Amino acid sequence: MSRFMSSNYAGLVPYVPGEQPRDLTDRVKLNTNENPFPPSEKAKRYAAKAAENLQLYSDTECTLLRAKIAELYAIDPDEIMCTNGSDEALDLCFLAFCDEQHPAIFPDITYGFYKVFAEVDRVPYQEIPLKADMTVDLNDYLSAPGKTVFIANPNAPTGIALPKADIIRLLESDPDRIVVVDEAYVDFGGESCVDLIHTYDNLVVTQTCSKSRSLAGARLGFAFASRPLIRDLNTLRNSRNPYNVNTMTMMAGLGAFEDEEYTRDNCRQIRDTRAYLTAALRGMGFTVLDSSANFVFAASDRISGKDLYLQLKARNIFIRHFDTPRLAPYNRITVGTVEQVDRLLCAINQILEATK
Ligand SMILES: *Cc1c(COP(=O)(O)O)cnc(C)c1O
């Protein structure tokens, strides 16, 4: 920290993204939950076409894209806000809906960015331990009225989904507090709560094009909520960066949502490969949590999480390791193509054989 940095940020620990090797020749990258399939042809075509008009500012309202999503989700465009990745939508939720009277609460094991947002946005927060089986204990949240809940559903890095009925209980437990449901992985097997925004004016749902729609590099996310909440979020967005979604990204998103069959098809393949990967790992003695996402969380008592991670990395296979006490035995493995998963399984098999 230089002597010029604001003391407000002394000790701020930024989010640490997974490694992004640029050269993927002969590398298997299963560490950041990207989609193994390319973006839809339509998304690529629309983005290239949009590049021709980049002398103009982007549409701060993302009018075309919101209209398309509103039609698909049977909601109103005024119930949607588009953001630079769903990370931005989540950040705006911390800013808009948390303060001394409404501290943020979220699980101790969840998306690492929640804690970083709470810190950088200088809002009070509390981390609530998951149960021993890595599931959320709903009672911890039901008995914390007034606190703004952030819940990833399915959760990361566990992949475990909460039933929609549990979210409804949470929403009804205190109509005067906000519940933010982060649905980054919902298309891989979770139950979406977007349709509940008409019933519950204290609900915000965030989604992203980064995972199921193969647009991680484009940076496109959304918040869905009742009109008053979207207005609040837009007040903040327009006070910070009204041109948050660039024209190429908005058009790539439009192309992706006009090609829903492609998304559904890719998600189906990923779910099938997830079942295959889960069964194969369990067959090798791994504990694998039941995932509803595009990754699995797995531990073996024959090798530490870190050792497996390092040995796979030495073989050009990247998975994600988290070096905290409860997570250290595990690794988070993105579900790639069948070919990538086969290469991974083959390498794990060799590594385990060598450690006998
Ligand atoms: C990937 C991810 C996000 C957001 O990613 P963006 O690329 O910013 O849309 C949000 N929440 C969770 C749990 C994620 O894993």
Side-chain angles (χ1 to χ4, degrees):
M1 185 169 153
S2 79
R3 66 185 194 282
F4 302 105
M5 174 86 151
S6 162
S7 59
N8 287 343
Y9 306 114
L12 179 65
V13 182
Y15 179 72
V16 185
E19 299 142 288
Q20 289 288 0
R22 292 283 59 139
D23 181 6
L24 292 182
T25 328
D26 207 41
R27 284 194 169 125
V28 177
K29 189 174 181 308
L30 303 175
N31 66 338
T32 53
N33 297 344
E34 288 143 328
N35 200 301
F37 305 113
S40 111
E41 285 304 320
K42 211 164 191 179
K44 289 191 274 192
R45 201 163 65 235
Y46 282 13
K49 182 94 180 101
E52 293 170 13
N53 285 309
L54 285 180
Q55 75 278 18
L56 300 175
Y57 276 106
S58 57
D59 172 11
T60 63
E61 306 300 325
C62 288
T63 313
L64 290 175
L65 178 56
R66 285 191 305 126
K68 180 67 199 174
I69 297 172
E71 175 198 321
L72 281 173
Y73 285 27
I75 59 178
D76 191 275
D78 292 342
E79 294 165 327
I80 307 172
M81 175 180 70
C82 301
T83 53
N84 191 308
S86 57
D87 286 341
E88 186 183 36
L90 291 161
D91 188 20
L92 293 173
C93 287
F94 275 92
L95 286 166
F97 304 125
C98 301
D99 56 28
E100 288 298 330
Q101 283 69 49
H102 307 91
I105 52 172
F106 44 85
D108 63 336
I109 295 172
T110 189
Y111 187 37
F113 233 138
Y114 299 162
K115 186 175 171 165
V116 178
F117 287 140
E119 292 275 352
V120 75
D121 296 338
R122 299 158 67 76
V123 301
Y125 67 95
Q126 188 189 344
E127 294 170 281
I128 302 193
L130 290 184
K131 290 195 277 193
D133 65 357
M134 299 264 186
T135 60
V136 166
D137 190 341
L138 202 66
N139 289 321
D140 295 335
Y141 300 82
L142 296 175
S143 61
K147 296 183 179 168
T148 304
V149 178
F150 287 81
I151 205 103
N153 193 31
N155 197 12
T158 64
I160 296 171
L162 214 55
K164 193 167 176 176
D166 282 0
I167 304 289
I168 291 174
R169 283 180 66 199
L170 209 49
L171 289 161
E172 292 184 345
S173 69
D174 177 7
D176 293 323
R177 60 109 161 255
I178 296 283
V179 176
V180 179
V181 182
D182 174 353
E183 296 189 349
Y185 299 105
V186 75
D187 296 326
F188 302 104
E191 285 176 281
S192 178
C193 287
V194 169
D195 63 324
L196 298 180
I197 62 171
H198 294 138
T199 315
Y200 300 98
D201 68 359
N202 56 332
L203 168 66
V204 181
V205 178
T206 62
Q207 288 190 4
T208 176
C209 282
S210 296
K211 314 304 176 16
S212 60
R213 290 188 172 77
S214 303
L215 289 173
R219 315 302 304 127
L220 183 60
F222 313 96
F224 304 101
S226 59
R227 283 184 188 79
L229 297 190
I230 292 296
R231 265 199 302 275
D232 293 342
L233 289 167
N234 274 326
T235 298
L236 282 164
R237 182 178 66 86
N238 289 321
S239 305
R240 291 181 169 260
N241 188 9
Y243 303 107
N244 58 334
V245 176
N246 74 68
T247 310
M248 290 185 295
T249 290
M250 188 196 77
M251 291 308 291
L254 182 64
F257 279 100
E258 285 182 4
D259 205 352
E260 281 293 89
E261 201 171 318
Y262 180 72
T263 299
R264 265 197 302 276
D265 220 57
N266 287 344
C267 290
R268 196 178 314 118
Q269 286 188 63
I270 289 168
R271 280 200 307 273
D272 288 349
T273 311
R274 177 180 73 207
Y276 167 65
L277 171 62
T278 302
L281 288 172
R282 284 180 181 156
M284 288 193 259
F286 279 81
T287 299
V288 185
L289 304 187
D290 282 318
S291 173
S292 298
N294 68 336
F295 55 83
V296 299
F297 204 47
S300 164
D301 49 20
R302 291 166 64 189
I303 187 164
S304 77
K306 183 155 198 182
D307 201 13
L308 180 63
Y309 156 76
L310 288 172
Q311 290 205 48
L312 285 169
K313 189 171 162 178
R315 291 160 196 252
N316 269 334
I317 299 173
F318 293 76
I319 60 173
R320 190 83 194 263
H321 182 69
F322 298 96
D323 225 345
T324 62
R326 268 184 94 181
L327 302 185
Y330 290 87
N331 282 299
R332 193 194 68 194
I333 306 169
T334 305
V335 177
T337 60
V338 173
E339 294 71 29
Q340 289 176 316
V341 163
D342 274 334
R343 217 178 119 185
L344 168 87
L345 290 169
C346 182
I348 294 177
N349 206 19
Q350 286 172 4
I351 292 164
L352 290 181
E353 284 299 311
T355 55
K356 259 186 183 164

